[in-house]
Amino acid sequence: MTLLANILIDGIAYGMVLFIIAVGLSVTLGLMRFVNLAHGAFAMTGGYIAAWLVREQGLSFYVGVPLAVLATGLLGALLEVTVLRRLYRRTELQQVLFTIGLTFLFVATANLLAGPEVQLIPLPPALSFAVDLGIRTLPAQRLLVIASGLLVVLAAFWVLNKSRFGVWLRATVDNTAAASALGIPVQLVYVATFAVGAALAGLGGILGAELMPLEPYYPVKYLVLVLVVVAVGGMGSIAGSLAASLTLGIIDTASKYLASDWGSLFFFLAMALLLAWRPHGLLVPRKV
């Protein structure tokens, strides 16, 4: 029972990190129809900025992290306005090639500015202690990760399904010309969506720094994991991304506990089986 509890708790925390990072990519791929393979670079950027602000500049964790998330969102908005919006009507291959090149630009910049060392984000005393759950002790930082993931889930559902902005986004994606004719600020919708996706990736990079260490090749190393979550969950599906993140996070954690010598074999085996079972998304019924 103790082993099972450890797998579930650590797997849920890992899955929440994957979800926070992947949900923005799911929206840009599924709703905006834009293949952004530089998404992991925003996760790394958020983590690097937070580490610099908290460790080097001496800011409080509770000040440095929001500033890092905001800065990552603004960087995403700046890139969308200056270069990425010119790629929306290009082919998927052109989008892939450009964003992969952008990823390696981020990698080289991180290596130049901070070196190859892993970047650590010091935790405040309130997050440095362990919580006794009876069956095990859990670092308070893991509880923060799980709670943040739940808040992101609720916020994403509300924005996309209940808010006016969600209506604008769906209308813009379905028919840009008609949406513009109806007075919807199409360009603002795109830049805001991209900025929020980048900010969420930055938040995931910060919260998951313990599980997914921050180093220059972070965007390349973890890109496949994020793409797997989006593919298994279904592009544009918040609920699917959450289900895929938790399922794959628990499976990957279980494999590390029970068969560490096999590496990530079970993670990718689970991916293949889930895609064969639900090729359009985990929560999308299989078409007969």
Side-chain angles (χ1 to χ4, degrees):
M1 289 300 295
T2 300
L3 178 60
L4 178 60
N6 288 340
I7 291 174
L8 287 176
I9 293 171
D10 290 340
I12 290 172
Y14 181 39
M16 283 301 189
V17 171
L18 291 177
F19 170 76
I20 294 172
I21 296 175
V23 66
L25 181 60
S26 179
V27 170
T28 55
L29 270 172
L31 297 182
M32 296 175 64
R33 312 289 196 271
F34 179 65
V35 184
N36 177 26
L37 297 190
H39 191 74
F42 293 115
M44 179 191 71
T45 300
Y48 267 63
I49 294 175
W52 178 72
L53 290 175
V54 176
R55 192 183 67 240
E56 303 294 336
Q57 303 303 311
L59 292 183
S60 163
F61 180 88
Y62 304 107
V63 175
V65 168
L67 286 177
V69 172
L70 177 61
T72 308
L74 291 176
L75 176 61
L78 178 64
L79 287 174
E80 197 279 340
V81 170
T82 55
V83 292
L84 296 180
R85 66 173 48 176
R86 293 170 172 77
L87 298 172
Y88 289 157
R89 297 185 181 276
R90 300 294 181 90
T91 65
E92 288 84 356
L93 178 59
Q94 290 173 313
Q95 294 174 358
V96 166
L97 291 176
F98 183 87
T99 53
I100 281 290
L102 188 62
T103 295
F104 283 103
L105 176 62
F106 273 85
V107 169
T109 302
N111 200 37
L112 174 66
L113 296 179
E117 297 82 10
V118 172
Q119 301 299 306
L120 301 177
I121 305 174
L123 295 176
L127 296 177
S128 300
F129 69 94
V131 178
D132 189 359
L133 301 179
I135 53 177
R136 66 164 286 182
T137 57
L138 183 68
Q141 188 266 350
R142 298 284 177 89
L143 293 177
L144 175 64
V145 170
I146 295 172
S148 299
L150 292 175
L151 289 175
V152 170
V153 171
L154 295 175
F157 269 113
W158 183 84
V159 169
L160 290 178
N161 299 308
K162 301 294 183 180
S163 72
R164 175 173 294 184
F165 183 82
V167 175
W168 285 359
L169 176 59
R170 293 194 299 274
T172 299
V173 170
D174 289 340
N175 193 320
T176 303
S180 180
L182 290 171
I184 295 175
V186 172
Q187 298 298 340
L188 178 61
V189 170
Y190 276 125
V191 70
T193 302
F194 201 91
V196 171
L200 286 175
L203 176 62
I206 295 168
L207 296 177
E210 179 189 359
L211 300 171
M212 301 162 66
L214 295 163
E215 43 91 14
Y217 283 93
Y218 181 103
V220 179
K221 186 176 181 181
Y222 298 113
L223 174 62
V224 173
L225 299 182
V226 177
L227 288 174
V228 166
V229 168
V230 174
V232 173
M235 294 185 296
S237 172
I238 304 300
S241 294
L242 177 62
S245 299
L246 294 178
T247 301
L248 293 170
I250 291 172
I251 290 173
D252 194 41
T253 302
S255 69
K256 288 181 170 62
Y257 271 93
L258 303 175
S260 58
D261 292 340
W262 291 82
S264 298
L265 172 65
F266 293 100
F267 179 91
F268 292 107
L269 179 61
M271 173 204 71
L273 293 175
L274 290 171
L275 285 176
W277 178 45
R278 290 285 188 268
H280 300 289
L282 197 57
L283 300 184
V284 178
R286 184 174 182 177
K287 297 180 180 179
V288 179

